[in-house]
Amino acid sequence: LHNLISPFFLFFQICFLLFAVLYIVSYFIITRYKRKADEQEDEDAIVNRISLFLSTFTLAVSAGAVLLLPFSIISNEILLSFPQNYYIQWLNGSLIHGLWNLASLFSNLCLFVLMPFAFFFLESEGFAGLKKGIRARILETLVMLILLGLLILGIVWVASALIDNDAASMESLYDLWEFYLPYLYSCISLMGCLLLLLCTPVGLSRMFTVMGQLLVKPTILEDLDEQMYIITLEEEAIQRKLNGASSIVEYQTAELERELEKVKSRKMNLERRKKASAWERNLVYPAVMILLLIETSISVLLVALNILYLLVDETAMPKGSGGPGIGNASLSTFGFVGAALEIILIFYLMVSSVVGFYSLRFFENFTPRKDDTTMTKIIGNCVSILVLSSALPVMSRTLGITRFDLLGDFGRFNWLGNFYIVLSYNLLFAIVTTLCLVRKFTSAVREELLKALGLDKLHLSNNPRDSETKPSANGHQKTL
């Protein structure tokens, strides 16, 4: 009995410790962006607090789903390198399988129960005729959840009847736990992979701009002192307008305040560039840009190689858990170095997908802002991150970024065995990523050609940032 109980409690302790760390980090992230509410203990404050805890739980599950694949890859290499080490006996195949099953279970729970409950609970007011309070709001939320479950069940039944009009498939839908939820999660994962197919190429090209804003660029043919002098004069002029003109219309005052904030932001950037050391300006920025270019090129190269493998070898298909198992063989041709490279690429793709998600025009207003994000928007962001993170292991395996076979319910997706879907996904990812990168690095040349031909006044460029004014090398303003 002791031998049976000890592994269970060890597994429980490890899972609880890992999830506690992720939960604490997720809580600090959400509270950083959540809009500050009143401290009074009223009904809405309690509802907001419950929704906050559920959103934090969902974000922690999303972080666990992201870290699960890298953790599994590095665990496999550690078990191969130190098979008889006493201190890593807790790191075994059963632990990895259990974590994958828990990640799949909690992803289903958050996606289909907790997040809809948090949203409906936040928007509920109680049925008419009942006494207002928490119980009335919980009752309305539960009724809405039941109706939503029936609606989704009906949609899946209709989709199954249209796609696979088979008596066996219709009978299998009666099995709620073994077939219905994995089938529904497979559909959600497919939509998440399609969303990643749209976000990741945009994010890979957008990463260069984001890192360019975070890092200090080299000062080539620029006079920072002259630019600082001009911006200081602009700031003083706007400040005099605000202080001296008492008859300014309210909307003009708001516009002047916005201009003042922009000027102060530009001034802070220039001060940061002046204070930066020569190493930071001339070495860090080019090194980071080259590193981003290398990682993006390796990702596209691996996808191209995976396309060739799919055409000549059917074992390249992501069929699920059919590999040698944890700790039996290396997942990479280059051993530990190749596994480390896979982990770096997986994290790079996840960050790029998030950047690309918030860079899309449809989701621009969805971006959270510090201390000014409503609870409803936080719930929507948590659901979006959960869908992206749950689809990340599937996308990494489908694109051939890693050869790690999916475990748990992640490997039971029906569409992973369809050769045409997997091949089309790889081809679209390679083509769209290449087009985004070509458009990114040729935009400057394209703008100069339009100016040389006199077509710049026709506004043929659809880049919203083209009309922004920036200081030139001699300190004057020019339109890019």
Side-chain angles (χ1 to χ4, degrees):
L1 182 62
H2 176 74
N3 293 332
L4 293 176
I5 295 178
S6 295
F8 172 77
F9 278 104
L10 179 61
F11 174 75
F12 177 78
Q13 292 171 358
I14 294 173
C15 294
F16 179 79
L17 180 62
L18 294 176
F19 188 78
V21 174
L22 294 178
Y23 188 90
I24 293 173
V25 174
S26 301
Y27 180 80
F28 282 111
I29 292 175
I30 291 181
T31 52
R32 176 181 175 85
Y33 291 98
K34 181 180 177 295
R35 179 178 293 175
K36 304 303 179 184
D38 298 332
E39 297 298 331
Q40 57 185 0
E41 290 293 333
D42 57 354
E43 181 181 321
D44 291 333
I46 297 174
V47 172
N48 282 329
R49 190 175 296 112
I50 294 175
S51 301
L52 174 63
F53 292 153
L54 295 179
S55 300
T56 305
F57 183 85
T58 302
L59 188 60
V61 172
S62 304
V66 171
L67 297 174
L68 185 59
L69 184 58
F71 178 77
S72 302
I73 295 174
I74 197 67
S75 300
N76 182 73
E77 299 300 326
I78 291 176
L79 289 174
L80 284 175
S81 302
F82 309 99
Q84 303 298 330
N85 196 314
Y86 174 78
Y87 297 100
I88 62 171
Q89 292 299 314
W90 58 273
L91 194 62
N92 49 40
S94 61
L95 173 65
I96 305 299
H97 280 77
L99 290 176
W100 278 82
N101 289 325
L102 284 179
S104 177
L105 174 63
F106 285 143
S107 297
N108 281 285
L109 180 66
C110 294
L111 194 58
F112 300 120
V113 179
L114 297 185
M115 284 294 93
F117 178 86
F119 176 76
F120 290 134
F121 192 44
L122 197 65
E123 299 294 328
S124 64
E125 296 180 356
F127 291 113
L130 295 179
K131 183 180 179 181
K132 301 297 181 182
I134 296 296
R135 292 183 178 179
R137 300 179 72 162
I138 292 177
L139 178 61
E140 181 184 352
T141 303
L142 293 177
V143 172
M144 293 298 296
L145 279 179
I146 294 173
L147 294 177
L148 179 64
L150 293 176
L151 177 63
I152 295 177
L153 178 63
I155 292 175
V156 173
W157 265 79
V158 173
S160 177
L162 293 176
I163 297 174
D164 192 8
N165 192 4
D166 183 326
S169 64
M170 300 301 291
E171 287 283 339
S172 60
L173 280 177
Y174 287 107
D175 196 344
L176 183 65
W177 185 260
E178 290 295 330
F179 182 83
Y180 178 74
L181 285 179
Y183 179 78
L184 186 59
Y185 190 59
S186 176
C187 298
I188 298 296
S189 177
L190 178 59
M191 289 190 292
C193 287
L194 294 178
L195 184 60
L196 283 176
L197 182 62
L198 181 63
C199 298
T200 308
V202 176
L204 289 175
S205 61
R206 179 71 177 154
M207 283 291 291
F208 295 90
T209 303
V210 173
M211 296 306 298
Q213 295 172 352
L214 296 177
L215 300 176
V216 178
K217 298 180 180 180
T219 56
I220 301 175
L221 300 177
E222 286 187 293
D223 191 347
L224 297 181
D225 294 328
E226 185 179 355
Q227 293 184 26
M228 181 66 70
Y229 176 71
I230 294 173
I231 290 179
T232 304
L233 292 179
E234 291 181 7
E235 182 182 7
E236 293 175 354
I238 297 175
Q239 194 67 49
R240 282 195 298 269
K241 289 181 180 180
L242 287 172
N243 296 334
S246 58
S247 60
I248 296 181
V249 187
E250 183 177 353
Y251 74 89
Q252 293 179 345
T253 304
E255 186 176 352
L256 287 175
E257 289 178 352
R258 286 194 297 267
E259 291 181 3
L260 183 61
E261 290 296 327
K262 292 179 181 179
V263 171
K264 287 183 178 180
S265 177
R266 288 166 50 196
K267 185 177 180 181
M268 290 177 59
N269 292 334
L270 281 177
E271 289 177 350
R272 181 169 175 263
R273 293 183 66 184
K274 286 188 64 176
K275 294 178 181 179
S277 62
W279 288 97
E280 185 179 359
R281 288 196 305 266
N282 302 321
L283 182 62
V284 176
Y285 180 83
V288 171
M289 291 298 151
I290 292 174
L291 183 61
L292 291 179
L293 184 60
I294 291 175
E295 290 181 349
T296 307
S297 303
I298 292 176
S299 301
V300 177
L301 180 61
L302 289 177
V303 175
L305 292 176
N306 189 55
I307 293 174
L308 295 178
Y309 287 146
L310 289 172
L311 294 175
V312 300
D313 188 5
E314 64 177 9
T315 59
M317 289 287 295
K319 294 181 180 180
S321 56
I326 302 296
N328 295 327
S330 179
L331 302 173
S332 175
T333 308
F334 302 100
F336 194 85
V337 177
L341 179 61
E342 290 179 3
I343 293 173
I344 293 174
L345 290 178
I346 290 170
F347 281 119
Y348 180 57
L349 289 178
M350 184 60 198
V351 174
S352 301
S353 65
V354 174
V355 172
F357 176 79
Y358 290 114
S359 299
L360 297 176
R361 293 184 179 180
F362 186 76
F363 300 106
E364 280 183 351
N365 297 328
F366 214 52
T367 306
R369 297 182 179 180
K370 183 181 177 182
D371 297 332
D372 192 28
T373 307
T374 61
M375 202 63 228
T376 305
K377 188 177 289 187
I378 287 177
I379 292 174
N381 279 274
C382 290
V383 172
S384 303
I385 297 298
L386 177 63
V387 172
L388 293 176
S389 61
S390 299
L392 178 67
V394 184
M395 186 191 74
S396 302
R397 181 66 180 93
T398 305
L399 295 178
I401 303 298
T402 178
R403 295 296 173 183
F404 184 85
D405 288 311
L406 303 175
L407 304 175
D409 288 336
F410 287 89
R412 297 171 59 183
F413 300 151
N414 299 328
W415 59 272
L416 289 178
N418 192 312
F419 172 78
Y420 297 102
I421 293 179
V422 175
L423 181 62
S424 301
Y425 193 89
N426 282 264
L427 288 172
L428 284 175
F429 183 87
I431 294 173
V432 175
T433 303
T434 304
L435 290 178
C436 288
L437 291 176
V438 169
R439 182 180 181 276
K440 173 69 179 178
F441 289 107
T442 59
S443 59
V445 178
R446 185 174 62 253
E447 295 300 326
E448 293 299 328
L449 287 176
L450 291 177
K451 289 181 181 180
L453 296 175
L455 301 177
D456 55 322
K457 297 181 181 180
L458 298 179
H459 301 288
L460 297 178
S461 175
N462 57 358
N463 190 353
R465 298 175 179 82
D466 290 343
S467 60
E468 295 180 357
T469 57
K470 297 182 181 180
S472 63
N474 57 4
H476 300 289
Q477 301 291 329
K478 68 178 182 179
T479 302
L480 297 180

